Amino acid sequence: MGVEEQALAKLRERFPKLLLESGSVRPGVGRVKIDRKDLVEICFYLKEELGYEHLSCISAVDWRDRYECVYHFTRYSDGSMFQVNAIIPHDDPHIESLCKFWRSATYPERESYDLMGIVFDHQPDLRRILLPPDYRFFPLRKDFPQEVDRQYISRRKLKTGGV
Amino acid sequence: MFLVFSAVEIVGAILTVTSKKLVRAAFWLLITLITISGIYILLRAEFVALIQILVYAGAVPVLLLFGIMLTRKKMLEESETSEAK
Amino acid sequence: MSGSLLTPNLVGLCRSLTEILLGIVKAIFDALSLPGLGSWFMSPGVVVFFTYLIATLVMVMWAALVNLLSVMWVERKLYSRIQDRRGIMLGVPWPWSKKYKRGMTNLGWGFLQNIADGVKLLQKENITPASADKLLFHAAPAIIVSSTIMVFAVFPFSENFYYTKVALGVLFVLAALSLGPFAIILAGYSSNNKYTLIGGLRAAAMMLSYEIPLILCVVAVVLLSGTLDPFQMVAVQERPLLGTIVPSWNVFSPPQMLGFVIFFIALVAELERIPFDIPEADAELVEGWTTEYGGMRFGFLFGFKWLRAFAGAGLLVILYLGGWNGPVFATFSVLGYPIPILPQEFWFLLKTYLVVMVIIWISWSIPRVRADQVLKIGWNRLIPLALLTILGAAVFKTMGWF
Amino acid sequence: MAEFWVNMGPQHPMTHGLWNLRIKVDGETIVDAEPIIGYLHRGVEKISEVREFQKVIVLTDRLCYVSSITWSHAYCLAVEELMGIEIPERGKYLRVISLEIQRIASHLMWLAAFGADIGLLTMLLYALRERELFLDLIEIMAGLRLNSNYTRVGGVRNDVPADFEKSCQRVIAHFLKKLDEYEDMMENSKTFLMRTQGIGKLSKEDAINWGVTGPNLRGSGADVDLRRTIPYEVYDQIDWEPAIEKDCDCYARSIVRMREMRESCKIVLDALKKMPPGPYRMKPPRRAEGEAFRATEDSRGEALFYVAADGDDRPYRVKIRSPIFCTLAAVPQMMRGHKVADVVSIMGSIDICVGEIDK
């Protein structure tokens, strides 16, 4: 039984009802899927009890019907990693901030807010970070127009004569 | 020569006390002090003149400016527009 | 010892030159049958006026053009060598060199690089910031340039190569150099920029604290040699030391060795060279107090730093390294008339350039020190040691050991 | 004296790129600092959503021009994880060699910039001179010097020429001699110690909590090197030691990087010796589904790529975790209470690369 299996077993024991999905990705890497309201509880348990001390990344994904916040944690002692997918409903992109436990959550959370528009509650400093402060869109969302096909435009212009 | 020096000195002294910017006042003070050392040279007191430049013109206005810059707040205050929030 | 190239002296030489020129002018006016105007040109007042005009021009040209460009060239060559740079090796070769006629080559001497820089700076626009204090902004480079040029009014290059002889020459040089900090702080303030302001404040703090050990060291030298006249100061250092062939330069006397080191460090700080170049630390303050200056004004501020370096090194040579004294064998006499093989000017320039090269060498091989550390070194180390130097000099003078 | 804000950037010699550090100074002492970034934001994450898997490498190469191979490699690892493929053994060794050469080149760039920051311009030119040698090696391997596009999904672009081992040995033997010279110039110089020792302290716990990774974390005394903790490629078959210093200051961070360069030389030579013959590349599948992530040790810290795909031939979402982006959050804490001149020491010692911060 690998390290991630042990951690997963402990998690299943501690939170029997909260894990929507759990499994091992590859040796040393575990993955659980949870709802957004249980995030703080599980992450706190991961940090304090299981020793996943390093929050390496916060990624937000727009799956069209839902958002997912993907948290990656590392335990430096044996190099095992843990992935937590928190599901956020599409019409209400709010999730609790992890700044209380990891100060390293500040910048990635700001970035996720900036690019994906996910609001992190109780974040002390939730501002735009990469884009200008007066920018009104969230460009990484799937409904943000991705690319202007310049060739297509010129082709259409040739065909229809303008517009 | 004496008249030229004293004229410059009087003008410098008047500007020292009347100019509104303190740094400019220090600049005019420097001019005044240098002309005073010129008058010393006219009086054949070269040593005093050189010490006048070395100590009074070289050091005193610098100390004065130092004090002005360290104490004045208004000059350094941030304008509201440059706050990048 | 070796003799001077210029005899009798600069002003005398210029006087004879003026007389020749004015004689030609008089001859022209005489030929035009205007004898009154011709003899007015030969009147003593006019001759003296033109003499000093020409002497001033010669001195300024020599100092500010030849030596300034040479110091810059030496610095660039040296640090290019130290750093394995290629750029400065590119330059226009000598015009008579047939081998490299194809134009720019990397075998040139690179001497024209400075002139090219000067031409570039002259072509650039002189920008005055809109919010600057115009009067002070324009006054600051003028003060720096004029105070640096003023140094050369009393600066002797040899026994005869000088502009005026002042009994308090060393004091004059120090006084002229001490006007620099004021101009720097003016420049820093008037540019109305935070970098220049911090740079100006740093410059003022540093120069104030380093001028004190500098002057204290000079006091120690003055105590030993008993004069403020650079000529006598050099004359004191002329004799051999206690029966040896080592000359009795001030640097070889025990109290002055310490003084030499302190003077050198304080000089490096005065000249804002790299271990102490915090006023214009380019990594943190962009260019320090010179940030807002552009075009030839920046050229003046930048170039005259090198001229100050030259003047400072010259002062060091006069005070500690025996001035223009060369080795004894440099003169031989023909028919009882001494003929210098290598004149005094050569020895003086050789020593000065060696000192400048040491300063350059140091400044390109160590990192810069932090502002508070600079001040700490100045106040905690150099000033007590300088006072110790004075004490030592006084003891040596009283006991007559040196 | 009044406290006032000074903008260091966006165009400032200290910034090494295009970002802005606002510092609040009280005279010379820093009271507060605030990095402002985003001037170089190119939207790599968004652009890569419409490109095929293989074509994203062009973008990841340009994340950081100083260490492009390590970034492309991190992406390729994540995509290979997503596709579930295992690349040939020779490809792994070639990747390790290219990664370490790139790491040396990147650290030399850091050394150059750090030297220029603290006023040692000679270091800049020396380090860039030696960096040329390693860029030449990369050119021999990949055909390009900077954005080499060498690592591909499924292996590397091409094999190395026959005499590559010999040129590597020659370059490294020359470089190790020069490295001693650098240590004389940096670590054995009193002025350098004055500028770096005790500056920018960041304790181990703070560093982990702030998400600081890579050489900066190892400078704080944590024994974390992802090449060893989470071994990828063939790092577990090669003899090497991670460099760890316990001083937590700028000096420790710089020593870590200097020692890492030596270790990288060792790794390159060892990998060249152990490299087996065989294929160096395999054909990856076109489409993939699911999500995957891999963390690698970039030359600046932990580079993590999270790639999600929905069965198309292009990624659905690419998330880049850049190490300096997270390290930048810790900068205000490191700076508080130091002098203005220490800003450059601290920023120089954490090795900023704006391309990867702004993505």
Side-chain angles (χ1 to χ4, degrees), chain C residues 257-308:
Chain C
M257 278 179 199
L258 185 62
F260 175 73
V261 174
I262 294 167
F263 190 90
F264 186 78
I265 294 172
L267 190 69
V268 173
E270 274 287 295
L271 304 175
E272 296 176 13
R273 299 301 312 204
I274 266 190
F276 302 115
D277 80 333
I278 52 162
E280 54 186 63
D282 51 354
E284 52 219 52
L285 295 184
V286 190
E287 262 301 322
W289 52 275
T290 56
T291 304
E292 291 290 343
Y293 286 92
M296 203 53 207
R297 249 182 245 146
F298 175 73
F300 277 138
L301 294 181
F302 211 62
F304 274 73
K305 243 169 38 192
W306 272 300
L307 198 58
R308 283 165 80 92

Side-chain angles (χ1 to χ4, degrees), chain D residues 15-18 40-42 44 56-75 98-99 101-110 113 131 135 138 144-151 257 297-303 305 320-325 350-359:
Chain D
T15 54
H16 304 174
L18 210 56
L40 205 64
H41 181 62
R42 294 153 293 176
V44 172
V56 178
I57 296 172
V58 176
L59 299 173
T60 53
D61 256 346
R62 277 139 183 90
L63 273 177
C64 176
Y65 75 102
V66 184
S67 112
S68 58
I69 291 182
T70 52
W71 277 103
S72 305
H73 168 255
Y75 168 76
S98 65
L99 283 178
I101 291 175
Q102 182 72 73
R103 193 184 309 276
I104 297 171
S106 166
H107 280 356
L108 279 172
M109 189 69 216
W110 157 79
R131 179 168 172 260
L135 290 184
I138 291 175
L144 275 170
R145 285 154 46 86
L146 284 176
N147 297 320
S148 51
N149 214 341
Y150 186 56
T151 328
R257 287 202 173 81
E297 182 75 19
D298 182 49
S299 37
R300 287 173 178 72
E302 178 188 0
F305 269 84
I320 304 159
R321 189 254 189 223
S322 80
I324 297 300
F325 180 74
I350 69 174
D351 194 6
I352 287 280
C353 177
V354 184
E356 71 179 51
I357 294 173
D358 285 352
K359 295 188 271 272

Side-chain angles (χ1 to χ4, degrees), chain C residues 305-338:
Chain C
K305 243 169 38 192
W306 272 300
L307 198 58
R308 283 165 80 92
F310 179 76
L315 190 64
L316 183 81
V317 169
I318 290 175
L319 288 178
Y320 289 100
L321 295 177
W324 44 83
N325 288 328
V328 187
F329 53 79
T331 309
F332 64 100
S333 65
V334 179
L335 306 172
Y337 190 74

Side-chain angles (χ1 to χ4, degrees), chain C residues 82 84 194-195 202 364 370, chain D residues 7 28 122 126 129 342:
Chain C
I82 290 174
D84 268 5
K194 284 166 189 165
Y195 296 130
R202 281 180 173 189
W364 289 104
R370 223 166 54 213
Chain D
N7 281 301
E28 282 264 334
T122 312
Y126 281 8
R129 183 185 64 192
D342 292 331

Side-chain angles (χ1 to χ4, degrees), chain D residues 90-164:
Chain D
R90 189 176 172 85
K92 287 184 180 176
Y93 274 98
L94 282 173
R95 277 185 179 184
V96 166
I97 292 164
S98 65
L99 283 178
E100 293 307 318
I101 291 175
Q102 182 72 73
R103 193 184 309 276
I104 297 171
S106 166
H107 280 356
L108 279 172
M109 189 69 216
W110 157 79
L111 186 63
F114 191 35
D117 273 348
I118 59 172
L120 192 55
L121 226 60
T122 312
M123 200 69 243
L124 173 89
L125 288 140
Y126 281 8
L128 287 182
R129 183 185 64 192
E130 258 64 68
R131 179 168 172 260
E132 285 300 306
L133 298 174
F134 288 96
L135 290 184
D136 287 348
L137 283 184
I138 291 175
E139 192 179 358
I140 294 173
M141 285 183 98
L144 275 170
R145 285 154 46 86
L146 284 176
N147 297 320
S148 51
N149 214 341
Y150 186 56
T151 328
R152 295 293 169 90
V153 179
V156 293
R157 178 168 163 270
N158 52 346
D159 208 345
V160 289
D163 59 344
F164 184 70

